[in-house]
Amino acid sequence: LFDQVHIPPACSDTGQSLGTVLYYWHHVLKYPHNGMSWHSPYLGDGLIDLELISNYKTQYRNLTHKRFDSGLVDRVATLLAEEKLVAWAHGRCEIGPRALGNRSILCSPTQPKMKDTLNQKVKHREWWRPFAPVCLAEDYKNWFEIEHEQPYMLEAPQVRKPELVGAITHVDGTARLQTVRKAQNPLLHELISKFKEKTGIPMLLNTSLNGQGKPIANSVRAILDLLESSNLDYAVIDNYLFYKLKM
C-alpha cells in the first residue's frame, strides 16, 4: 500500500496531537501533501531565562564566560576536536524522545573512553548505556549501512568504520543515527562541518542535555547547574561560551 513509512520525531502518544492536526489538514480541509519527508522537531520552548546571563556571577562564582559575535562555531569545533565535553543549547527545544542538536551534550565520537566518561561523570548512569552519532547528511552513507536519511535518530544501522568511531558504536556494531542537513539545523550542520575539517570525521557524539534523573535542561539556570556540578568542560548558550574558572 506504500513505499515508505515516515516516522515523526514524537513517535509515542505525545505525537498524537501532531497527527490529529495533520489528519484534519489533509483529510478534512483537503489540502494536498506537499511531499516533504522532514518536519522540524524544534517546536518546544526557547531558553526561558536568558536574562540570567547578565547576572549569573552572583550564583555561579566558579564559572566565567566569553561572548562571541563571530567565530564561536570554529572555537567549539576546536574544543570538540580536543576531546572536550560541550553542552550545546540554542533556539527552541526538540519535541519527542531524542536530543536532536538544540539541547545536546556533544563530544568527539572517536575515542571509546568518551562513552565511559559521559556515563560515569556527567550522566551518572549504567556503564553499558550507549550514545548516538549525529552525522552530516552528505556523508552518512559512507559511514552507516542505511540508504535513507534519519533526521530523528530513530533507527540503528550498522557502522561501516567502527574502529574510527568507537564512542558511538554499540557492541553489535550498530549506532542510533541522526542525519542533519543545513536547511534542517544550520548551526549544528556548520559545527559538524568544522569538526570534519579538523578531524576528517563528519559526525559528533550527541546525547541529551541533562544529568541523572533530570529533565532536558531548557533554561540557562539548569544548564549552568549541570556545567558546575558535572565533568562538562564547556556550555554554549546561544552566542555565549561558559566554562569553569581554574582553581
Side-chain angles (χ1 to χ4, degrees), residues 5-11 150-152 154-155:
V5 176
H6 176 78
I7 306 173
C11 54
Q150 182 43 258
Y152 307 131
L154 295 172
E155 295 183 61

Side-chain angles (χ1 to χ4, degrees), residues 8 26 44 121 128 148 181 183 187 197 203-204 207 209 214-215 232:
H26 295 305
K121 299 182 178 181
W128 46 265
H148 56 271
R181 289 195 172 276
L187 201 60
E197 289 176 9
M203 74 187 79
L204 292 169
T207 188
L209 180 49
K214 300 290 186 179
L232 284 175

